[in-house]
Structure formats: C-alpha cells, structure tokens
Amino acid sequence: MEEEQKEESVRHFLDLVKKSRRGKLKIYIGMSAGVGKTYRMLQESHALLRNGVDVCIGYVETHKRAETEALVAGLPMVARRKIFYRGKEIEEMDLNGILNRHPEIVIVDELAHTNAEGSKNGKRWQDVFDLLEAGISVISAVNIQHLESINEEIEQITGIAVTERIPDKILELADEIVNIDLTADELVTRLKEGKIYDQSKIERALGNFFQSDKILQLRELALKEVVHQVERKIQTEIPKSIKLRPERFLACISSNAETAGVVIRKTARLASYYRSPWMVLYVQSDSESMERIKLDKQRHLINHFKLATELGAEVIKIKSNAITKTIIDIATEKEVTTICIGKPHLNIFQVILRTAVFNGLLKNLAMKDIDLVILS
C-alpha cells in the first residue's frame, strides 16, 4: 500500500511537471469572417516581438486584405509546406518545421481547416494539439459557426452546412478566449468597402450570409460562448473558498397572501438588478396541507406560483415539517447567496427569541456565506 502511494505521488508530480511544460493556447473567436481576428493576432505578434518574445507565423490567411497583409511584414515566419494534391500544388502549414524551429509562441490561423491528404493530422486543430504538447504556445482564430455543438443551429440560421468543424474541447482547453466583436452595421460597412471580399463577391454575400438578422444571431452565439467558457473556468479553476460566487436569490413564501406577492416582486427586482437567477421556495408543512388551508389561500398560492414563473423564477414546492432544514438544504444545493423573506407580523426580536423556524434559520445562515433579507 505504501509503495502504491509513493508511485501515485510520483505520477502526480510528473503530471504537474508535464502540465507546466505544455504550451498555452489563446483563441480569437468571432461571429464571421471579416471581424478582424487575423488582424488582431498579427497586432499582438508585433507587440510580443517588440517585447523580446520569440514569436513567429506558422500559418496566416490574409485573404488578400491589404491592411492584414501589411501587418505580416516584419514578422518571422516558418515557410509553408508545398504538396501536390490531385494535380495541383497547394500549401499547408509545416508542422514539423515549426516543431524543429520551436518558437516560444506561434500564430496558427484557420483553426477549423482540414489538412490535405497525406498530412500527419487530418485537422489543423490536431496540429495545434501537437504544438502545445511540445511546449509551444499557440495563438489561433476561429469563427463561431465552426463549433461542433452548435452546428445544426448554425445551419438553421445561415442555411449553410458547415463541414469544417472543431470539437468543443478545443475551447475548453484554451487558456484564454477573446471575442472580436462588431455590430452588424459595422460588419456590413466593412464588406461594402471591400475589406472582407473583393468586389465580385460583395453583392452575393449581402444577399446571403451578411444579412443583419443572421449576423445578430451569430453575434449572440459568439458572445454567449465566450461567457460560457469564462464561467466554466471560474467554476473549475478558482478554489471555491476564494472565488466570487454569482448572486443567486431564494424567495421563501408561505400561504400568507399579504406577504407572498411582496416577497416575489421585490426578489424579482433584486434579481433583475444583479442579472441573477432566482427561485421561489414554498415549504408545505402538515399545518398548510391542502386539506387544512382554506380555498382562498390555495387560490392565492396558485396565483403566486404563476406570478413567480412569469417573472422568471424557478418555483420549488416541497412537503416538509422541517422548514428551516429544507430552506438551508435548498439554499446550499442551489448555491444561493441571498435568502429573501417577508416581514414577520411580530416584532423581529420576538421572532428571533420565540420562533424556532427563524431562530434555527439565523443560526444556520450565520455559519454559511448566505445573506438574509427581510422585505417589508
């Protein structure tokens, strides 16, 4: 057993060493071609070079855009590999050339690109994996429509089947993701000015892909994806003891018609202010069973559940006599930061001293990082 523990300790240490030697990955993501991803990568490359960092271009696609091509000048480059495929000479990124050159950082454009037959890897994102494993950091770029998990949604928006796709794990692997954002009007203006495609393709692009409604939907997807990846990193990489939890509100109501509506509406306002998810919890004790409370109270309860749903809350109904424990359990399970309750009819100090539910609730909340708000 002791030997196994030693071996496990060694393996763990080697994993840490290997992880520290692995290259870092930064991805520029955008809603479509022409937003400026390659331009930004090249700008960053010049800044790195000025600061003495060994950076070079592994592969950049300028699409003959003058402002992008101007930025290529002055940057070290690994020459592309020329191969003959189906009677034509084509150029691919020279993976072995980059590995042999072993720069500190390499620029690799068109992350979703499919490599020519005969290449070591079928996809460029697999080349990026090899570079990272070799300890070379990579700055790359991709459009949101190439993400595998939203492929069908993209086709519904654009009417185009995207065949070159990257698995979601690439974004999960990235150490940094930067969204290059433009408004729909700005993107269309760039297109009309000939900054994305040459003049012969502009009218066709305006009639197909570059329509405001499509651009807006793609923009929303790109923004959501970046937010999702940031939230995922916060959840997985920052220790729970130090990370800032997002606000989550829990409104606790009873069958009391006077206070329930107030608690729901005011909690909805708080959640809206913080742009946070919120829940409404109703704990039905034996004394509030449907056989014991009057029909008008039942009707009020149903209306309050409906109101909460309309205002965007998740409604939770639980049968229990352990009211305090149920509230605390739900708050813990849902990672609630603030519990909202109605103002008791009794003097609050009398409540604290005499009411077991509130007394127990306050004692439990004192031991947890949860705020209690009493709404009047």
Side-chain angles (χ1 to χ4, degrees), residues 297-349:
K297 281 196 171 186
Q298 292 182 33
R299 189 169 59 253
H300 284 307
L301 260 178
I302 292 168
N303 288 336
H304 286 140
F305 295 151
K306 184 180 177 184
L307 172 65
T309 302
E310 288 173 350
L311 291 173
E314 174 190 350
V315 176
I316 304 168
K317 293 173 274 188
I318 295 177
K319 290 184 179 181
S320 174
N321 288 320
I323 297 173
T324 300
K325 183 178 183 302
T326 302
I327 293 172
I328 295 298
D329 286 349
I330 291 296
T332 303
E333 177 191 335
K334 300 288 186 178
E335 295 187 326
V336 167
T337 58
T338 304
I339 293 175
C340 300
I341 61 174
K343 182 180 178 181
H345 296 298
L346 300 171
N347 177 291
I348 187 64
F349 296 106

Side-chain angles (χ1 to χ4, degrees), residues 252-302:
C252 298
I253 65 169
S254 68
S255 59
N256 187 314
E258 294 177 24
T259 60
V262 172
V263 171
I264 289 170
R265 287 187 177 88
K266 289 195 173 183
T267 306
R269 291 292 298 162
L270 282 170
S272 175
Y273 177 79
Y274 285 98
R275 297 184 179 181
S276 302
W278 65 293
M279 294 138 275
V280 170
L281 173 64
Y282 169 61
V283 183
Q284 185 186 67
S285 63
D286 288 345
S287 62
E288 288 205 341
S289 64
M290 292 305 171
E291 295 80 21
R292 294 190 177 186
I293 63 173
K294 296 178 181 178
L295 285 175
D296 61 332
K297 281 196 171 186
Q298 292 182 33
R299 189 169 59 253
H300 284 307
L301 260 178
I302 292 168

Side-chain angles (χ1 to χ4, degrees), residues 116-344:
E117 195 174 319
S119 301
K120 178 180 181 290
N121 298 311
K123 295 284 188 176
R124 186 164 291 160
W125 62 262
Q126 294 170 320
D127 293 340
V128 167
F129 265 24
D130 288 349
L131 294 169
L132 295 173
E133 288 300 315
I136 300 170
S137 294
V138 178
I139 300 176
S140 191
V142 72
N143 289 326
I144 190 64
Q145 60 260 37
H146 295 289
L147 192 60
E148 182 68 59
S149 66
I150 56 174
N151 180 249
E152 291 181 2
E153 193 172 350
I154 292 293
E155 188 170 350
Q156 288 175 357
I157 293 170
T158 65
I160 300 169
V162 179
T163 56
E164 291 189 320
R165 304 192 291 270
I166 63 168
D168 292 46
K169 66 180 179 182
I170 305 298
L171 297 187
E172 293 173 9
L173 183 74
D175 299 280
E176 188 177 355
I177 297 175
V178 180
N179 182 44
I180 305 298
D181 188 38
L182 288 178
T183 66
D185 288 343
E186 287 172 327
L187 186 60
V188 170
T189 298
R190 282 180 57 80
L191 177 66
K192 290 178 178 178
E193 290 174 347
K195 293 181 177 180
I196 301 176
Y197 301 131
D198 60 48
Q199 292 294 330
S200 63
K201 297 179 181 178
I202 292 175
E203 285 305 316
R204 184 179 176 186
L206 286 170
N208 294 318
F209 189 88
F210 286 81
Q211 296 177 24
S212 290
D213 60 331
K214 294 178 181 179
I215 293 170
L216 288 170
Q217 290 178 79
L218 292 172
R219 186 186 185 195
E220 183 182 11
L221 286 175
L223 289 167
K224 281 182 176 178
E225 185 59 35
V226 173
V227 169
H228 166 69
Q229 294 300 333
V230 171
E231 288 177 343
R232 185 190 62 78
K233 282 197 172 290
I234 289 172
Q235 293 298 321
T236 59
E237 295 183 11
I238 300 179
K240 203 163 188 175
S241 58
I242 64 170
K243 70 183 177 187
L244 295 172
R245 291 187 301 167
E247 290 291 337
R248 288 177 180 269
F249 293 88
L250 178 66
C252 298
I253 65 169
S254 68
S255 59
N256 187 314
E258 294 177 24
T259 60
V262 172
V263 171
I264 289 170
R265 287 187 177 88
K266 289 195 173 183
T267 306
R269 291 292 298 162
L270 282 170
S272 175
Y273 177 79
Y274 285 98
R275 297 184 179 181
S276 302
W278 65 293
M279 294 138 275
V280 170
L281 173 64
Y282 169 61
V283 183
Q284 185 186 67
S285 63
D286 288 345
S287 62
E288 288 205 341
S289 64
M290 292 305 171
E291 295 80 21
R292 294 190 177 186
I293 63 173
K294 296 178 181 178
L295 285 175
D296 61 332
K297 281 196 171 186
Q298 292 182 33
R299 189 169 59 253
H300 284 307
L301 260 178
I302 292 168
N303 288 336
H304 286 140
F305 295 151
K306 184 180 177 184
L307 172 65
T309 302
E310 288 173 350
L311 291 173
E314 174 190 350
V315 176
I316 304 168
K317 293 173 274 188
I318 295 177
K319 290 184 179 181
S320 174
N321 288 320
I323 297 173
T324 300
K325 183 178 183 302
T326 302
I327 293 172
I328 295 298
D329 286 349
I330 291 296
T332 303
E333 177 191 335
K334 300 288 186 178
E335 295 187 326
V336 167
T337 58
T338 304
I339 293 175
C340 300
I341 61 174
K343 182 180 178 181

